């Protein structure tokens, strides 16, 4: 605890690493919005022992079932074993975790062709400093996550967007602006995750 005696700047290190409690709390909220809420505990094959006088006992069989139900699966040695719903939850959670602000879109949204024209004239695109990006590989491409937003995205573009530089260099990285790339860039711009130089 400290008190500043004059204007100062404080740095907090390590606050973007979530605790197990925070992960479970957010995962619980995510399950609550799913249709089956993550499934229900069942033990229809358990039977009371008529010779047992102890009632209400919670034995090892029940506790093992609860533990298995709460296990989040084993992703195995490769990506293909990962539960895609769990992967979506974590990617959306971690790129929005403890952000003190969120991006807002521009007053006037751009069409894909308008954005393409600006890019072709050399207008730089910048990542919004409030936005956090991550991506994950899929069988036929990638998903890009931007502060909780999920987009189908070509892997090459996802990699470039997640690079640490402020400016999103497109031509230098030889990204071909096909329809899918334009859809991603326009969606990110209209959601406030990308900015034009004069913004």
């Amino acid at each position: 605890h400290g008190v500043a005696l004059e204007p100062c700047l404080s740095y907090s290190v390590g606050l973007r690493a979530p605790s197990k409690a925070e992960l479970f709390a957010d995962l619980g909220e995510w399950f609550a919005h799913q249709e089956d809420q993550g499934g229900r505990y069942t033990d229809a094959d358990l039977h009371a022992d008529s010779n047992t006088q102890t009632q209400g006992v919670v034995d090892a069989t029940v506790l093992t079932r609860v533990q298995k139900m709460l296990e989040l699966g084993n992703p195995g040695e490769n990506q293909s074993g990962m539960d895609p719903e769990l992967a979506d939850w974590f990617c959306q959670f971690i790129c929005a975790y403890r952000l003190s602000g969120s991006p807002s879109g521009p007053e006037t949204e751009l069409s894909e062709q308008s954005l393409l024209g600006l890019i072709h004239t050399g207008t730089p695109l910048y990542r919004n400093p409030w936005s956090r990006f991550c991506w994950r590989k899929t069988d036929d491409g990638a998903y890009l996550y931007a502060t909780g937003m999920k987009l189908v995205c070509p892997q090459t573009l996802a990699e470039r967007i997640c690079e640490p530089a402020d400016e999103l260099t497109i031509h230098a990285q030889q990204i071909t602006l096909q329809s899918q790339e334009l859809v991603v860039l326009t969606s990110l711009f209209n959601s406030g995750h990308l900015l034009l130089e004069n913004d």
Side-chain angles (χ1 to χ4, degrees):
H1 176 73
V3 177
L5 301 179
E6 57 186 33
C8 70
L9 183 64
S10 299
Y11 291 88
S12 297
V13 181
L15 290 181
R16 294 196 188 279
S19 66
K20 182 184 285 189
E22 288 174 308
L23 288 171
F24 272 113
D26 193 85
L27 181 60
E29 290 184 16
W30 180 77
F31 273 134
H33 291 91
Q34 304 304 306
E35 186 175 343
D36 66 349
Q37 296 188 336
R40 293 194 177 275
Y41 171 83
T42 59
D43 57 8
D45 59 328
L46 294 182
H47 302 285
D49 185 350
S50 59
N51 296 322
T52 302
Q53 298 299 316
T54 306
Q55 300 296 315
V57 62
V58 178
D59 61 15
T61 303
V62 173
L63 294 176
T64 300
R65 284 174 185 264
V66 172
Q67 181 175 333
K68 286 186 177 181
M69 183 179 180
L70 293 177
E71 287 175 356
L72 302 180
N74 182 7
E77 296 180 356
N78 55 47
Q79 191 93 10
S80 62
M82 182 180 294
D83 181 335
E85 290 189 356
L86 183 64
D88 274 344
W89 158 73
F90 181 74
C91 290
Q92 291 178 68
F93 166 80
I94 202 64
C95 69
Y97 174 66
R98 284 197 177 180
L99 282 180
S100 57
S102 59
S104 58
E107 292 182 5
T108 303
E109 293 188 353
L110 291 181
S111 67
E112 293 167 19
Q113 291 306 311
S114 297
L115 185 60
L116 179 62
L118 289 168
I119 293 172
H120 280 324
T121 60
T123 303
L125 274 175
Y126 292 90
R127 298 167 186 84
N128 190 321
W130 289 111
S131 297
R132 297 290 180 269
F133 300 95
C134 66
W135 68 277
R136 70 178 180 89
K137 190 173 182 179
T138 62
D139 292 336
D140 55 355
Y143 284 125
L144 174 71
Y145 302 86
T147 316
M149 180 180 179
K150 175 186 174 184
L151 295 167
V152 176
C153 183
Q155 182 176 334
T156 303
L157 181 59
E159 291 175 358
R160 298 299 174 260
I161 290 174
C162 291
E163 287 178 350
D166 291 331
E167 184 178 347
L168 177 60
T169 52
I170 295 177
H171 298 301
Q173 301 293 348
Q174 299 178 348
I175 295 173
T176 58
L177 292 175
Q178 303 298 324
S179 60
Q180 192 176 12
E181 285 87 353
L182 272 177
V183 167
V184 171
L185 292 173
T186 307
S187 295
L188 291 174
F189 175 81
N190 288 332
S191 299
H193 298 294
L194 294 180
L195 305 171
L196 293 170
E197 186 174 35
N198 60 357
D199 293 335

